[in-house]
Amino acid sequence: MSSASYRIERDSMGELRVPADALWGAQTQRAVENFPISGLRLPRGFIRALALIKQAAAAVNARLGLLDRRIASAIEAAAAAVASGAHDAGFPIDVFQTGSGTSSNMNANEVIAHLAAKAGAAVHANDHVNMSQSSNDVIPTAIHVSAALLLHEQLLPALAHLAGVIAAKESEVEGIVTTGRTHLMDAMPVTLAQELSGWRTQIENGAARLRATEPRLLCLAQGGTAVGTGINAPPEFGAAFCAELRRLTGVAFQPNRNFFEALSAQDAAVELSGQLKVIAVSLMKIANDLRWMNSGPLAGLGEIAVPALQPGSSIMPGKVNPVIPEAATMVAAQVIGNDAAITIAGQSGNFQLNVMLPVIAYNLLESIGLLANVSRALADRAIAGFTVNRTRLAETLDRNPILVTALNPVIGYEKGAAIAKKAYAEGRPIREVAADMTDLAREELDRLLDPSELTRGGIKGGSSGGG
C-alpha cells in the first residue's frame, strides 16, 4: 500500500494503516485484517438497524443533556444517511468475527463519526456515537430491530400476498373434483379448492405464528450496556431510546423487562427462527404438491400445468420443468439449515453475553428475505397461472376403486373391499363392478358414487339395499 493510498488511524492499540478513501477507522481495519474468512457481510437490514440505533441514541443523549446538541445533530444526520443505504460500502467486516459483534458496532461508530467529521463536527466514535451504549446491548438490539422491520416490510406482506393468490385460485377452481391421495395412493375425492384451502391455511397460520412471536421480538436490550446493569447509561435511557426508535420506525419497540436475559440469551431470535422454519416446511409441502400435480405431462400425474418459464434441459428439446416450485424447496432447505445454525448459536450464551450474535443476525435475516422473495415468486409465477387438465382428472376419478368407500353404509366394508379388488384387477370403473356385484340400481349407484357429492362428506347411503 503506497503512502498516497492510505492514511494513519489510531486506537487504544496504536497506529494502523487504513485505505485513504475508507469511511472506517482503526478498529474496523483491524477486524478486516483479522477475519478474512467467508467474504460474507452482515446484510443491509442489519446495517440499517445499527444506524437507526445510533440515530436514536444521539437524540436521546442530547435530550438528557449528555451530548452537545450540535454533535448530536451531526451524528443523527450521518446515521440517517447510513440507514438509507448511502454508505453500505463502508461496512466490510466478515460475518464470522468477534462473537459479540463488537467489530460491527465499532464499524458503525467509526463510519458515522467520519461522516459527521466531514460535515464539520468533531465527533468521537466511542465517546459520542457510542455514548450510553455497549456493543453488548447494541448488537442484540440490532438483531431484534432488523428482524422486526423485515417482518413488517417484507415477509408478512409476502405471506398475505401468497395467501390471497391461493384464495383467488380456490375461487377459480371451485367445483373441480380430483382424486384425493393418502400415502401417495388413491383415496376419496376432494375438490381442488379444498386442496388449495389447506395450502392457504398453512400460510395464514405461518403469519399468525410470526405475529404471536412479535411481542418478544419488540423487546430490546438497549439500556443494559455491558453486562445488563446499565453501567454508563442513565436509568431512563432504555425507555427514552425505545420511544425515539418508535418515532423513527413506527414499530412499537419497548425495553426488555430484564436486560440480563436480553444480553445473555437470544431466545426471541431462536423462537422467531423456529417460526420461520415452520413456514419453510409449509412452502416445501406446497411446492412438492405442485411438482407432483404438474408431473409428466404424459408419464406423471399431469393434473395441472404450471406456467412454462424457461427451457428445462440442455439436451432434451421441449422439456419444461417446474422451476419455481423447485426454487421454493431449496429455499425451504436453506431456512431449515439456518434454523439449525441459529439454534446452536442461541445455546452460546455464556454468563452475561451470547457470543454468536453475528451469525444469528446473518442467518435470521437471510431466512426472512428468502421466504419473502420465494413466497411472491411461488404466488405469481406458479400458483396464479397454473391450468387444470380436467380430462385427466375426470379419467382418474371414474376409475378410482376407492370410491366404493361411499357404499360402506349400504353394503358393508367386506363387500366393498371385494368390489375394489375386482375393479383394480380388471381395470374397470367402480360403478360397473358394483352394478355386477350388488343389487343396487344404476341410478342409486350414480347417486352414491357421485364424486362431487363425496367431497361434501357425510353418510351417503342407508341401511337398505345391499347384495
Side-chain angles (χ1 to χ4, degrees):
M1 191 182 293
S2 68
S3 59
S5 64
Y6 70 86
R7 66 179 191 271
I8 300 298
E9 290 278 348
R10 296 167 181 82
D11 62 9
S12 61
M13 295 186 73
E15 294 185 347
L16 196 68
R17 291 182 177 186
V18 174
D21 59 351
L23 293 176
W24 59 82
Q27 292 200 44
T28 301
Q29 186 63 32
R30 293 188 194 279
V32 169
E33 295 174 7
N34 286 337
F35 307 113
I37 296 175
S38 69
L40 300 174
R41 300 183 182 185
L42 285 159
R44 158 103 283 276
F46 188 81
I47 295 169
R48 176 178 61 156
L50 277 177
L52 288 170
I53 290 166
K54 302 302 174 181
Q55 184 178 353
V60 171
N61 282 324
R63 199 173 302 139
L64 296 176
L66 302 175
L67 188 61
D68 178 83
R69 183 65 259 178
R70 180 171 170 272
I71 293 175
S73 295
I75 292 171
E76 289 178 68
V82 171
S84 74
H87 302 290
D88 285 358
F91 292 82
I93 300 174
D94 203 276
V95 168
F96 300 99
Q97 52 167 286
T98 174
S100 62
T102 298
S103 298
S104 287
N105 181 44
M106 282 307 305
N107 189 177
N109 291 335
E110 289 179 343
V111 167
I112 290 167
H114 189 87
L115 291 171
K118 288 175 68 175
V123 176
H124 192 277
N126 296 80
D127 295 338
H128 300 138
V129 185
N130 201 60
M131 180 180 284
S132 303
Q133 306 152 64
S134 163
S135 299
N136 297 354
D137 61 356
V138 166
I139 300 301
T141 295
I143 291 172
H144 281 221
V145 171
S146 57
L149 292 177
L150 289 185
L151 287 184
H152 278 267
E153 296 166 358
Q154 295 184 19
L155 184 52
L156 285 169
L159 293 176
H161 177 70
L162 175 56
V165 168
I166 297 173
K169 200 68 175 181
E170 285 177 61
S171 298
E172 182 182 320
V173 300
E174 183 68 44
I176 300 177
V177 182
T178 184
T179 301
R181 293 180 182 87
T182 58
H183 304 268
L184 294 180
M185 305 299 286
D186 298 342
M188 292 299 290
V190 296
T191 68
L192 281 178
Q194 289 170 331
E195 192 165 13
L196 268 62
S197 76
W199 300 352
R200 172 178 48 78
T201 302
Q202 283 186 279
I203 300 305
E204 291 169 345
N205 286 344
R209 289 184 179 96
L210 295 177
R211 288 190 287 269
T213 296
E214 194 174 39
R216 268 81 63 199
L217 190 65
L218 298 184
C219 293
L220 304 183
Q222 208 65 52
T225 66
V227 292
T229 61
I231 186 71
N232 287 355
E236 64 270 36
F237 181 83
F241 169 86
C242 287
E244 179 66 15
L245 198 60
R246 286 196 297 271
R247 186 189 71 79
L248 291 173
T249 64
V251 178
F253 294 111
Q254 59 183 315
N256 195 301
R257 61 189 177 91
N258 188 298
F259 289 141
F260 302 103
E261 187 271 350
L263 270 64
S264 66
Q266 278 293 302
D267 292 353
V270 174
E271 178 187 3
L272 174 58
S273 179
Q275 307 295 27
L276 297 174
K277 180 177 71 173
V278 176
I279 295 169
V281 169
S282 297
L283 291 178
M284 181 78 86
K285 185 265 192 288
I286 294 167
N288 278 330
D289 280 356
L290 284 165
R291 292 172 64 223
W292 277 105
M293 294 161 72
N294 180 79
S295 63
L298 300 179
L301 297 181
E303 296 178 344
I304 67 169
V306 298
L309 300 178
Q310 62 189 62
S313 173
S314 62
I315 190 173
M316 293 176 281
K319 194 173 192 296
V320 178
N321 299 326
V323 293
I324 298 298
E326 287 173 358
T329 62
M330 288 187 282
V331 164
Q334 183 68 40
V335 171
I336 292 167
N338 285 351
D339 178 67
I342 291 168
T343 300
I344 293 169
Q347 298 170 6
S348 296
N350 308 130
F351 298 108
Q352 277 67 62
L353 184 67
N354 182 287
V355 289
M356 287 197 183
L357 297 176
V359 79
I360 290 174
Y362 183 86
N363 284 294
L364 194 65
L365 299 187
E366 180 181 68
S367 290
I368 293 171
L370 287 173
L371 289 173
N373 292 340
V374 87
S375 292
R376 291 189 179 276
L378 197 63
D380 298 338
R381 303 182 71 80
I383 294 173
F386 78 68
T387 57
V388 180
N389 187 342
R390 291 174 180 253
T391 301
R392 186 65 169 264
L393 293 181
E395 289 173 352
T396 55
L397 272 172
D398 187 55
R399 304 180 72 84
N400 182 8
I402 303 302
L403 295 179
V404 77
T405 303
L407 302 183
N408 283 358
V410 179
I411 64 176
Y413 182 93
E414 298 299 334
K415 173 69 79 171
I419 292 171
K421 289 178 182 178
K422 187 175 180 63
Y424 271 128
E426 298 179 1
R428 296 167 60 199
I430 197 71
R431 281 182 177 83
E432 291 183 11
V433 179
D436 292 345
M437 295 180 66
T438 71
D439 59 3
L440 293 171
R442 277 284 187 169
E443 294 78 11
E444 181 69 357
L445 284 171
D446 287 343
R447 182 184 71 82
L448 293 173
L449 298 175
D450 180 355
S452 182
E453 284 298 318
L454 294 178
T455 65
R456 298 183 176 93
I459 299 173
K460 304 305 178 186
S463 58
S464 61

